[in-house]
Amino acid sequence: MSDEHADTSRHWDTSRHWDTIVIGAGIAGLAAAVTAADAGLRTLVLDAHRPGGRARTTTRSGYHYNVGPHALYRAGHLFALLGRFGVTLPGGKPDAVNVRLLRDGTLTPMSMRARDIMTTPLLGVRDRARLLAIFAKLPRIKSDELVGRTVADWLDDTPEPVAQVVETLVRTTTYTNGRDVLDAGATVDQLRLGLLGVDYLDDGWQSIVNALRSLLDARGGTIETDAAVAAVEADAARVQVQLPFRTLTATTVIVAGGGPDVAHRLTGVRPAGTDNLTPAVEATSLDLALDVARPGLILGLDRPLYLSPHAPTARLAPDGAGLVSALRYVPIGEDPGDPATCRAELRDLARLSGIIDDEIVHERYLHRSTVVHGAPSAAGGGLRGRPTIDALDLPGVCLAGDWVGPDGMLADASSASGEAAARAAARHCASVPA
């Protein structure tokens, strides 16, 4: 386990009153807690498990496994939040040139550079020009004008071979396989974000978790693990957090763990705007620890597949070794299917990439991972239609998570809503008589 912090649960005096209690110690909860503690609030974070949520990293024999492939968007909110607190994390940028696209079981080299597009056998002459035109227009597209339209609708008049390439990039940047429901406005914003670059992080995303925990420790915040919250009850004077054998009180509470169903279960209130989200986005992933480094990114055109060498791009494996992540984007609302079949499909993709079985030291398969608890749907008004931080309409209770607020997608939505919720908590605390 790559974690410099001890996770021993400490049981606090239940008579102590907190300014804010954060439920959930993933990216959303830690971003909220650090922001709240930095504003001077007495801050407690509760989590039933080891902090980090889906940002945790597991270490095995010198290989660092994230919970599926993770990339930090350099122009995104989380990167900026870390920067504002003086955190710089080492890592590497994935190779955007050594790219192969998969169609009909065949791999064809093609990066997104103009000269590669103009010579690729995957597209005819007119389609090459059409794809280049889309890339040229992308920075200037007014994404607000696409809100309420699906990705499928946005690409409706685009030739199928060109649309396949764009939809492949959509899946890669949003981690979402849902062209018929995903909002095109949010998608274009995320595509542009992806073009500005991503980082794979040394030691995995645990480095973000550790950095945020260190920031929280330095500001006097507290994390308590093995703390399964049963209920949250609010009135005008205070908020009570029910644990199995005790009750904690606070002026404010930020519910930052899980999705809308968890918020509903804890508070008894269904967050307003939940129906504006897609169902949870899921993926199937296979990480392969290799005794050699294997370069080359693979993106599926006619199948929703992805394969990328995360090490040695980032320090996630011993020197001279590699760590490759393969992923299948599960269509929104569908079951991933038979685990053995899905795993075999990702293993076959690895073999197609050039990886031989003898190179594999060990591997980890995740059949059904939640990527995001609900993506912005076209029918729900895109990012602006997502539940707001105050969607529970309970005094002193805010929400945070990858499904909350008008800003960003994936981890950037988590950190943006976490920060916004903490600032709202600070304002509420200031308004309540001491």
Side-chain angles (χ1 to χ4, degrees):
M1 179 176 71
S2 297
D3 192 344
E4 64 191 33
H5 298 264
D7 282 318
T8 302
S9 179
R10 294 170 290 179
H11 297 286
W12 305 101
D13 181 359
T14 57
S15 66
R16 181 174 183 179
H17 183 85
W18 301 88
D19 292 323
T20 189
I21 293 177
V22 180
I23 300 172
I27 294 297
L30 291 174
V34 169
T35 303
D38 192 61
L41 302 188
R42 297 185 300 274
T43 304
L44 171 66
V45 182
L46 302 174
D47 201 295
H49 307 287
R50 178 165 64 94
R54 287 167 290 152
R56 290 195 297 260
T57 303
T58 300
T59 300
R60 179 181 175 188
S61 304
Y63 294 87
H64 303 279
Y65 289 114
N66 288 315
V67 184
H70 280 55
L72 179 63
Y73 287 83
R74 296 184 61 84
H77 183 276
L78 179 54
F79 188 92
L81 177 76
L82 293 169
R84 288 197 295 274
F85 284 108
V87 175
T88 301
L89 299 174
K93 297 176 178 59
D95 184 356
V97 176
N98 188 6
V99 180
R100 289 172 289 175
L101 301 185
L102 175 64
R103 178 191 283 163
D104 295 330
T106 300
L107 293 175
T108 303
M110 191 188 101
S111 76
M112 296 302 122
R113 296 183 302 180
R115 67 184 185 187
D116 284 350
I117 293 173
M118 287 304 297
T119 58
T120 180
L122 289 170
L123 301 172
V125 174
R126 290 185 179 180
D127 287 345
R128 296 170 191 168
R130 185 69 175 268
L131 181 59
L132 287 171
I134 290 174
F135 286 153
K137 292 177 183 177
L138 190 61
R140 302 191 302 273
I141 293 176
K142 295 180 179 179
S143 58
D144 285 352
E145 296 179 358
L146 292 176
V147 172
R149 298 175 61 187
T150 66
V151 171
D153 182 41
W154 171 45
L155 298 174
D156 182 56
D157 63 349
T158 305
E160 183 178 359
V162 178
Q164 273 190 337
V165 176
V166 177
E167 288 173 16
T168 295
L169 297 178
V170 168
R171 288 193 297 268
T172 306
T173 54
T174 67
Y175 287 65
T176 302
N177 183 3
R179 66 190 299 272
D180 294 321
V181 292
L182 187 62
D183 182 70
T187 296
V188 165
D189 286 339
Q190 191 69 9
L191 278 171
R192 287 195 285 237
L193 198 67
L195 291 176
L196 295 174
V198 302
D199 285 343
Y200 297 160
L201 299 180
D202 290 355
D203 303 319
W205 271 47
Q206 190 70 45
S207 60
I208 297 180
V209 176
N210 291 345
L212 290 173
R213 292 187 66 185
S214 293
L215 291 170
L216 182 61
D217 289 345
R219 287 156 178 77
T222 300
I223 295 180
E224 184 172 358
T225 58
D226 299 320
V229 175
V232 174
E233 299 176 358
D235 58 37
R238 63 180 182 176
V239 186
Q240 292 187 325
V241 176
Q242 304 288 344
L243 296 165
F245 302 107
R246 56 200 168 125
T247 300
L248 303 177
T249 64
T251 304
T252 60
V253 164
I254 299 172
V255 179
D261 291 343
V262 171
H264 186 191
R265 174 175 59 80
L266 293 179
T267 65
V269 178
R270 180 175 169 81
T274 299
D275 291 341
N276 295 336
L277 302 169
T278 72
V281 178
E282 296 180 327
T284 295
S285 64
L286 177 67
D287 292 310
L288 300 174
L290 308 178
D291 60 11
V292 296
R294 282 287 187 180
L297 174 67
I298 293 176
L299 302 175
L301 289 177
D302 55 355
R303 294 160 66 191
L305 300 176
Y306 155 104
L307 181 145
S308 179
H310 283 239
T313 302
R315 194 182 65 238
L316 295 166
D319 290 344
L323 181 67
V324 169
S325 290
L327 187 81
R328 177 178 178 268
Y329 305 93
V330 178
I332 288 179
E334 295 187 14
D335 187 274
D338 174 63
T341 302
C342 293
R343 185 171 190 161
E345 180 181 34
L346 295 177
R347 265 300 202 118
D348 288 344
L349 178 65
R351 294 188 185 97
L352 188 63
S353 77
I355 295 170
I356 60 175
D357 291 354
D358 288 347
E359 295 171 346
I360 300 173
V361 180
H362 44 72
E363 63 186 69
R364 186 179 67 172
Y365 175 71
L366 301 175
H367 181 61
R368 193 168 196 163
S369 296
T370 298
V371 174
V372 60
H373 289 94
S377 72
L383 294 173
R384 292 193 296 267
R386 288 192 304 202
T388 59
I389 59 170
D390 57 356
L392 292 170
D393 196 26
L394 293 173
V397 181
C398 288
L399 293 169
D402 56 22
W403 54 282
V404 178
D407 300 313
M409 295 181 70
L410 306 168
D412 291 317
S414 295
S415 61
S417 60
E419 181 180 29
R423 299 204 183 285
R427 291 193 297 270
H428 184 82
C429 287
S431 71
V432 174

